[in-house]
């Protein structure tokens, strides 16, 4: 199993450009999510999905879109990049969260810089 | 509201010394708590989790954590630090309303030779 994969590993964008961060998992997990990680702030949830065709907003969704057309893939779109979106982005997946057996599996991350 | 506080953004210990990383939580219901570790330039991986079965939880790489309800704490310890333990450690609690994770800000563990 490859686990959770993310592409690209690094990306530099100019303000106003758009792009898509790719995330895929091969563990047949129903639940997938996107986080951003900024120094001193832990991880903040951007969007999540509990299955194909179902997405919902996390705590910092503005400026980002997601879709879930298959169980395996969960791309994150930046509509018009801003310097405030400079961050490290992590995709994670798990089976549907159940309190006593909850474990998320993380991808290696995408380091995004917006100039 | 539920929250997680990690005391100390950086902790420095000598190789072979005790490691203690602090995590305090607030929750109105019995919490489910986790410690994740992030090695440099990698994603996060689960270190251990508390799910009310036992208050002392053992994880990977010799780490363990003790749940103390009276102190609302879930501190992470390891008796003897190794250079390979240098990483950032995150404490998290499951949000009761929607099962999302609420994350602490992280503690970077530095190991001195």
């Amino acid at each position: 199993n490859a686990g959770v994969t993310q592409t690209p590993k690094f990306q530099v964008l100019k303000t106003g450009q758009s792009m898509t961060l790719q995330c895929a998992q091969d563990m047949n997990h129903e639940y997938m999510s996107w986080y951003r990680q900024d120094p001193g702030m832990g991880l903040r949830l951007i969007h999540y999905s509990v299955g194909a065709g179902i997405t919902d907003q996390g705590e910092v969704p503005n400026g980002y879109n997601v879709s879930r057309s298959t169980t395996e893939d969960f791309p994150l779109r930046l509509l018009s990049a801003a310097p405030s979106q400079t961050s490290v982005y992590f995709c994670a997946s798990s089976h549907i969260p159940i309190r006593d057996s909850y474990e998320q599996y993380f991808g290696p991350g995408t380091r995004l810089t917006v100039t | 509201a539920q929250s997680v506080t990690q005391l100390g953004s950086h902790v420095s210990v000598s190789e072979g010394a005790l490691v203690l990383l602090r995590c305090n939580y607030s929750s109105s219901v019995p919490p489910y708590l986790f410690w994740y570790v992030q090695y440099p330039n990698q994603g996060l991986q689960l270190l251990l989790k508390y799910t009310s079965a036992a208050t002392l939880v053992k994880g990977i790489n010799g780490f363990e954590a003790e749940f103390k309800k009276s102190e609302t704490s879930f501190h992470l310890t390891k008796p003897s630090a190794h250079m390979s333990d240098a990483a950032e450690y995150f404490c998290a609690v499951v949000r009761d309303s929607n099962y999302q994770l609420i994350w602490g800000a992280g503690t970077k563990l530095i190991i001195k030779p």
Side-chain angles (χ1 to χ4, degrees):
Chain A
N1 283 356
V4 180
T5 57
Q6 290 183 238
T7 56
K9 284 188 167 49
F10 301 94
Q11 183 70 49
V12 179
L13 289 179
K14 293 190 187 318
T15 297
Q17 288 184 318
S18 63
M19 78 158 295
T20 299
L21 308 185
Q22 301 291 344
C23 173
Q25 52 92 10
D26 61 359
M27 296 173 282
N28 203 30
H29 285 163
E30 306 89 358
Y31 181 87
M32 296 185 74
S33 56
W34 276 102
Y35 292 96
R36 60 178 289 172
Q37 182 181 26
D38 302 290
M41 301 186 74
L43 278 77
R44 292 183 291 169
L45 183 65
I46 304 172
H47 285 285
Y48 65 96
S49 167
V50 297
I54 306 169
T55 63
D56 207 345
Q57 297 181 350
E59 57 182 303
V60 289
N62 292 343
Y64 308 95
N65 272 359
V66 292
S67 60
R68 184 96 179 269
S69 57
T70 67
T71 299
E72 295 77 20
D73 300 298
F74 190 46
L76 177 73
R77 296 182 189 84
L78 278 70
L79 308 173
S80 177
S84 60
Q85 294 179 303
T86 294
S87 186
V88 181
Y89 291 85
F90 288 100
C91 180
S93 75
S94 71
H95 289 298
I96 289 290
I98 300 174
R99 284 172 63 111
D100 61 353
S101 63
Y102 189 101
E103 177 178 353
Q104 289 195 355
Y105 293 82
F106 283 79
T110 294
R111 189 174 295 274
L112 175 69
T113 302
V114 183
T115 61
Chain B
Q2 292 167 286
S3 65
V4 172
T5 302
Q6 290 183 242
L7 298 177
S9 60
H10 293 76
V11 169
S12 180
V13 302
S14 298
E15 193 174 16
L18 171 71
V19 174
L20 172 61
L21 304 182
R22 299 176 188 274
C23 173
N24 288 89
Y25 69 90
S26 70
S27 178
S28 58
V29 299
Y32 284 70
L33 295 154
F34 303 83
W35 277 99
Y36 280 79
V37 60
Q38 183 181 29
Y39 297 104
N41 300 314
Q42 294 186 25
L44 284 74
Q45 64 181 89
L46 183 67
L47 202 54
L48 51 80
K49 62 183 177 184
Y50 167 74
T51 59
S52 76
T55 56
L56 184 62
V57 182
K58 293 189 186 301
I60 61 172
N61 301 335
F63 283 92
E64 61 182 35
E66 186 172 9
F67 172 72
K68 291 187 176 181
K69 184 179 177 181
S70 61
E71 298 177 9
T72 61
S73 70
F74 190 56
H75 300 333
L76 182 70
T77 60
K78 182 173 180 178
S80 177
H82 193 272
M83 295 300 291
S84 61
D85 296 326
E88 191 158 18
Y89 293 80
F90 292 90
C91 183
V93 65
V94 175
R95 191 192 303 271
D96 192 53
S97 58
N98 62 9
Y99 298 147
Q100 305 292 348
L101 287 178
I102 301 169
W103 296 87
T107 297
K108 192 161 288 188
L109 178 63
I110 301 160
I111 311 295
K112 296 179 292 186

